[in-house]
Amino acid sequence: MRKALLSLLAVAALLLVTVVVRMTPVSAVAAEPYSYKNVRIDGGGFVPGVVFNPTERNLIYARTDIGGAYRWNQSSKSWTPLLDWVGWDKWGWNGVVSLATDPVETNRVYAAAGMYTNDWDPNNGAILRSTNKGDTWQVSPLPFKLGGNMPGRGMGEALSVDPNKNSVLYFGTPNGNGLWRSTDYGATWAKVASFPNPGNYAQDPSDPNGYLNHRPGVVWVTYDPRSSAKGAATRTIYVGVADKDNTVYRTTDAGATWERLPGQPTGYLAHKGVLDTANGYLFIATSDTGGPYDGGKGDVWRYATATGTWTQVSPIPSSSADDYFGYSGLTVDRQDPGTLMVATQISWWPDVIFFRSTDSGATWTRVWDFTSYPNRSFRYKMDVSQVPWLTFGTNPQPPEVTPKLGWMTESLEIDPFDSDRMMYGTGATVYGTEDLTRWDTGGQFTIRPMARGLEETAVLDLISPPSGAPLVSALGDIGGFRHADLDAVPPMMFTAPNFTSTTSLDYAERNPSVMARAGNFTDADRPNDSHVAFSTDGGANWFQGTEPGGINEGGTVAAAADGSRFVWAPKGVAVHYSVGFGNSWQQSQGLPTGAIVESDRVNPMKFYGYSGGRLYVSTNGGATFTATAATGLPTASVHFKAVPGAEGDIWLAGDTGMYRSTDSGASFTKLPNITAAVNVGFGKAAPGRTYMALYAVATIGGVPGLYRSDDTGASWIRINDDQHQWGNMGEALTGDPRVYGRVYLGTNGRGIIYGTSTGSTPTVTPTVTPTVTPTVTPTVTPTVTPTTGASCTATYAQTNQWPGGFQATITIKNTGPVPITGWKVTWTFAGDQKITQLWSGTHTQPAQTVTVSNAGYNGGLQPNATTSFGFTATYSGTNIQPTTLTCTPS
């Protein structure tokens, strides 16, 4: 993937959904039993740490920056989430800055939890400790914050268990808090007063946003188990500090005194410190920044513990012009002393580089080499057939390839029991191999995703249409997917256009094959692309529209109930509407910039907007909006939606509760007993009911949770429990209109959760006559014999082209003196061009000749008026544009 495409990964840290709702502790049991699973994507976010237990085979953990921690299951080769019990009140504990597995009592595991060290996270950090491999946890609060999603989070591990006396743990902390120690299995902690250096490095000490001025502090702890007998605290311990002049410290008296390790290199930060006890070498991998997104210079050093001698063993030294990266991921093969590997920190282009040495760093080989530029040879091959979206839909030119070997590879680990197995984390997944030693014999080893069960996406919107794929998702960093099978990895994220983050989705309620999505990317990288896209086949294929000027973020988008028009509220830009698929946009009047927009699900001319505690309504397709008289509505954390099948029926969730309107927002009624609400969604009605089931992430009766109502909000049942809280859940929420009791829940770092009721289906005797949505007979424009003098022209313009495909727009103009009620455009391609998708018209293409007729809404044109349609197509060879188009009016 190009660095530009990955620029938003640098903001993966910032995808936290800021919600001001403050939740209280929850009750222990759900009111109705539910089964919860992830909608499979496999990966999707940064995995800064993979940790192998050194004494129990196949006991492996992974930590993420916003998605909690996981344990490996060897039988299924999948990961089990361990922190789903973390709720809204402590959501930051889903950021795990370090993880330690006990080498003595292997059932013990520890996690240092806390997401942000600035005021984004209201809570201090904590040490979470478990005696059953993470199935349940106890909490030791800390008096300061931790930065599981702050700069430098890939350094480590800062939390560690003494291999000789496992009741002793050390923990390196950020922002001047120094080194801490526990002597009672992590239950209580105290600062090590004798440790001299808390670390002074910050990426940007003057950052006014409170992010880049974070100081990673004390970043790793490594024991020399040879220095003590079993049962006695290890005497010799090495500690890494984020200080370019003093980056390694040592104690030889079990932490009573410490010294700066003599003779150490300066000018760089030691991201990792790994000890080869067989040969008596401490290796450090250094970089000029804390990462994980950058690093331009660095070295690898070897310290002989017996003699105190430092030797530079960099595969490419920092003094070389060929070194444009630092070093980070570092591992030693415990089965083959002297074999070690290190990864670049960071080599965006053309790819990350792994280096391998079998002689303690004296010589190295590369995982890939340049042959004759731009060609490369590879010691590996990649198989992403189980997670095919990891190609990101790209088709790069050499020397780049897809999929990439990785990026942000802070953790690179050889299995201590198996020289052939290696795992490493990237900004998108966990990769691994089970035949690594083929590297040394001249063969190619195979790298595959090893991320099943590890779901780390930030979910920004979800839709579940009444037909087609059951779910379509809007995600941070990887755009989103059409989920035809909830239990299978989708083949590809949204492309053409590709959004780094999709911020909004909608579908036409009465024509659900029509969809729209809005999203983010950097305009400077792709100046000809739009931040809005459309689909006419339920999200299987997409095409982009035009856009007004000045847009760099997607905001929200709404589709008319019949798919004939759209209203778009890009972030920071005035609200606009388009008749058709974004061929042109007009500014809406009366709705403030920054509003969120939704459509009525029955009336295609009615749209709603919300801003500053006021609801706005448009009855003319988004052209003008008028504020309703409703007051007293929430001003923060608002999500609102209109109910399918009932015009003007709106539900609104916000920080002060839940509200309902049945008159298009003219008035609202606040629901009792709901003190705060994050989001609301609708699903199939319960048996015997006519009104859709309601789903809410809310605080009801003082208990925060995920709720369902089968009786129009008169009563609610909680459908999650204490073990299923998923942090700050609810930015995205919808029910399934086809399956009663199924709910889709978006999380900020634990992916998409879907729940299915496992309780008995309620039996309800209807007490009212079911409301029937009338069948609407579409208006058909009659065929009219052409009037004398009627004429039109068609102008062809290619708007985009890529290898094997292109996009074009045809503009039709009424050039006659009288109105026309329809048009037909015909042309012949010179080559094998084949239209794959066309919008704002209907077409036939039996061979090279294409005939396009107007859609129902754009056939009528006054004299000199114009309209347009567009399409995407494939080709091979040369893409010659047609020069002659025939336009026939009717």
Side-chain angles (χ1 to χ4, degrees):
M1 184 191 314
R2 297 184 304 274
K3 182 175 181 180
L5 185 60
L6 285 171
S7 62
L8 195 74
L9 283 170
V11 192
L14 310 181
L15 281 171
L16 170 69
V17 180
T18 303
V19 178
V20 300
V21 178
R22 296 293 177 256
M23 301 285 192
T24 55
V26 301
S27 60
V29 182
E32 180 178 317
Y34 256 68
S35 170
Y36 286 100
K37 299 172 64 176
N38 270 104
V39 176
R40 278 193 67 190
I41 295 171
D42 287 14
F46 179 35
V47 181
V50 177
V51 179
F52 284 79
N53 187 284
T55 59
E56 181 176 334
R57 184 185 291 268
N58 296 323
L59 181 54
I60 314 167
Y61 296 92
R63 64 179 175 93
T64 71
D65 50 6
I66 64 172
Y70 293 81
R71 184 184 66 233
W72 178 254
N73 296 303
Q74 179 62 23
S75 60
S76 60
K77 295 189 176 180
S78 65
W79 299 92
T80 296
L82 302 178
L83 300 184
D84 283 356
W85 55 270
V86 174
W88 260 105
D89 58 330
K90 295 292 190 295
W91 56 260
W93 290 358
N94 276 309
V96 181
V97 72
S98 191
L99 190 147
T101 174
D102 192 322
V104 180
E105 298 175 79
T106 58
N107 282 345
R108 294 183 182 271
V109 63
Y110 304 85
M115 200 171 292
Y116 297 102
T117 55
N118 51 32
D119 57 7
W120 299 349
D121 188 338
N123 296 305
N124 285 336
I127 301 297
L128 312 180
R129 59 192 199 279
S130 172
T131 57
N132 52 16
K133 298 180 178 177
D135 289 339
T136 60
W137 298 83
Q138 293 176 296
V139 177
S140 296
L142 295 171
F144 44 79
K145 296 183 178 184
L146 299 181
N149 202 24
M150 298 295 284
R153 59 191 179 275
M155 296 170 153
E157 294 293 319
L159 181 63
S160 63
V161 180
D162 190 323
N164 289 311
K165 188 175 183 179
N166 66 313
S167 60
V168 175
L169 291 87
Y170 281 87
F171 176 44
T173 71
N175 289 333
N177 291 297
L179 181 67
W180 286 59
R181 177 172 52 209
S182 172
T183 58
D184 55 6
Y185 299 97
T188 62
W189 292 81
K191 186 175 183 178
V192 180
S194 60
F195 191 78
N197 187 354
N200 61 6
Y201 170 81
Q203 183 172 341
D204 181 1
S206 61
D207 179 21
N209 298 313
Y211 186 72
L212 297 179
N213 59 356
H214 171 78
R215 287 174 290 153
V218 182
V219 293
W220 53 263
V221 179
T222 298
Y223 300 91
D224 188 342
R226 303 170 301 172
S227 63
S228 298
K230 294 294 183 181
T234 298
R235 297 187 61 81
T236 299
I237 308 170
Y238 300 91
V239 173
V241 177
D243 178 340
K244 291 186 177 182
D245 294 321
N246 312 278
T247 197
V248 184
Y249 286 78
R250 179 180 61 185
T251 180
T252 57
D253 52 16
T257 61
W258 299 83
E259 67 170 345
R260 178 186 184 275
L261 198 58
Q264 68 182 260
T266 61
Y268 300 106
L269 305 172
H271 278 229
K272 306 287 179 181
V274 178
L275 184 66
D276 174 4
T277 55
N279 293 295
Y281 292 133
L282 174 73
F283 294 93
I284 63 172
T286 71
S287 180
D288 57 349
T289 73
Y293 308 109
D294 50 12
K297 286 286 185 180
D299 282 301
V300 181
W301 289 84
R302 185 182 69 205
Y303 175 75
T305 59
T307 64
T309 303
W310 286 94
T311 303
Q312 188 186 61
V313 293
S314 308
I316 301 175
S318 59
S319 57
S320 170
D322 292 331
D323 179 42
Y324 55 93
F325 42 77
Y327 296 92
S328 183
L330 177 67
T331 186
V332 168
D333 187 343
R334 303 299 175 183
Q335 296 294 314
D336 186 12
T339 295
L340 67 152
M341 293 178 64
V342 69
T344 55
Q345 174 60 39
I346 190 168
S347 175
W348 289 105
W349 183 95
D351 209 342
V352 68
I353 312 170
F354 297 156
F355 299 92
R356 181 172 171 90
S357 174
T358 57
D359 52 14
S360 297
T363 60
W364 299 85
T365 53
R366 296 166 53 123
V367 75
W368 58 262
D369 291 282
F370 279 112
T371 52
S372 57
Y373 186 86
N375 299 311
R376 292 187 286 157
S377 62
F378 302 91
R379 286 186 167 85
Y380 69 95
K381 54 186 176 181
M382 296 195 77
D383 176 6
V384 297
S385 56
Q386 293 183 353
V387 191
W389 63 261
L390 283 167
T391 66
F392 284 77
T394 59
N395 185 26
Q397 298 299 309
E400 292 186 281
V401 297
T402 190
K404 290 181 74 74
L405 184 61
W407 60 92
M408 298 161 60
T409 47
E410 294 270 18
S411 187
L412 174 75
E413 310 296 335
I414 298 174
D415 187 336
F417 293 91
D418 184 353
S419 298
D420 269 319
R421 180 160 68 173
M422 173 189 71
M423 292 185 182
Y424 65 95
T426 76
T429 193
V430 176
Y431 279 120
T433 182
E434 294 179 324
D435 58 355
L436 177 62
T437 58
R438 287 177 61 84
W439 181 320
D440 304 321
T441 60
Q444 280 189 317
F445 65 97
T446 301
I447 294 174
R448 293 183 175 90
M450 290 187 175
R452 182 166 187 169
L454 195 157
E455 299 286 346
E456 204 197 346
T457 50
V459 187
L460 305 181
D461 204 359
L462 295 169
I463 56 173
S464 181
S467 61
L471 185 70
V472 182
S473 62
L475 306 177
D477 291 346
I478 58 173
F481 297 90
R482 178 181 184 268
H483 303 272
D485 182 344
L486 304 176
D487 298 317
V489 177
M492 189 50 59
M493 60 192 55
F494 300 142
T495 57
N498 178 287
F499 300 153
T500 45
S501 288
T502 297
T503 56
S504 180
L505 286 166
D506 198 13
Y507 68 92
E509 190 66 46
R510 289 161 41 187
N511 186 11
S513 62
V514 173
M515 294 181 178
R517 61 182 169 96
N520 302 345
F521 58 86
T522 302
D523 264 5
D525 295 334
R526 292 152 53 191
N528 296 320
D529 282 353
S530 173
H531 294 78
V532 68
F534 306 94
S535 175
T536 58
D537 57 7
N541 296 281
W542 295 84
F543 55 92
Q544 63 181 0
T546 62
E547 67 176 31
I551 297 174
N552 204 41
E553 295 190 45
T556 58
V557 65
D562 63 355
S564 62
R565 61 183 59 220
F566 302 87
V567 174
W568 185 20
K571 185 175 180 180
V573 176
V575 179
H576 285 69
Y577 70 98
S578 174
V579 179
F581 293 93
N583 296 316
S584 63
W585 295 90
Q586 290 76 44
Q587 184 171 331
S588 301
Q589 302 300 314
L591 187 57
T593 297
I596 53 178
V597 294
E598 296 282 351
S599 65
D600 191 87
R601 311 311 286 181
V602 176
N603 185 342
M605 298 301 288
K606 186 175 287 187
F607 289 84
Y608 307 103
Y610 197 86
S611 177
R614 301 297 300 274
L615 187 89
Y616 297 76
V617 181
S618 172
T619 58
N620 57 5
T624 59
F625 284 81
T626 303
T628 72
T631 59
L633 299 175
T635 58
S637 309
V638 172
H639 290 85
F640 76 98
K641 296 168 186 173
V643 177
E647 181 176 351
D649 194 343
I650 302 169
W651 291 79
L652 187 148
D655 63 331
T656 57
M658 184 84 73
Y659 303 77
R660 185 194 180 194
S661 173
T662 57
D663 53 12
S664 299
S667 62
F668 279 87
T669 299
K670 187 177 189 296
L671 274 68
N673 209 30
I674 301 181
T675 53
V678 177
N679 210 335
V680 63
F682 317 114
K684 184 177 181 179
R689 299 280 188 180
T690 58
Y691 198 88
M692 297 188 80
L694 302 174
Y695 297 91
V697 174
T699 300
I700 301 179
V703 178
L706 176 61
Y707 289 85
R708 191 187 77 230
S709 173
D710 295 332
D711 53 10
T712 323
S715 63
W716 297 83
I717 56 173
R718 186 183 177 211
I719 59 174
N720 75 316
D721 57 40
D722 279 5
Q723 295 307 307
H724 301 90
Q725 297 191 71
W726 309 290
N728 49 350
M729 61 176 174
E731 173 67 11
L733 177 69
T734 185
D736 191 313
R738 290 172 270 184
V739 181
Y740 167 70
R742 178 170 290 173
V743 61
Y744 302 103
L745 175 70
T747 72
N748 186 54
R750 269 288 288 121
I752 307 166
I753 305 293
Y754 78 97
T756 304
S757 175
T758 57
S760 58
T761 302
T763 300
V764 181
T765 301
T767 57
V768 294
T769 303
T771 301
V772 179
T773 303
T775 301
V776 179
T777 303
T779 301
V780 180
T781 302
T783 302
V784 179
T785 302
T787 305
T788 303
S791 63
C792 60
T793 60
T795 305
Y796 185 103
Q798 184 169 297
T799 56
N800 199 4
Q801 183 166 317
W802 54 92
F806 67 99
Q807 180 175 329
T809 297
I810 287 82
T811 301
I812 297 93
K813 181 177 182 179
N814 181 356
T815 54
V818 296
I820 62 175
T821 57
W823 45 262
K824 181 184 296 183
V825 177
T826 304
W827 73 89
T828 300
F829 282 123
D832 64 351
Q833 296 94 331
K834 182 69 175 179
I835 292 177
T836 55
Q837 188 170 27
L838 185 139
W839 52 96
S840 299
T842 59
H843 80 287
T844 60
Q845 187 185 357
Q848 293 174 292
T849 299
V850 179
T851 300
V852 182
S853 300
N854 60 274
Y857 55 83
N858 64 354
L861 293 176
Q862 295 295 318
N864 294 315
T866 62
T867 188
S868 62
F869 64 88
F871 65 86
T872 56
T874 60
Y875 74 97
S876 62
T878 303
N879 179 24
I880 301 174
Q881 299 183 39
T883 56
T884 302
L885 288 83
T886 300
C887 182
T888 304
S890 59

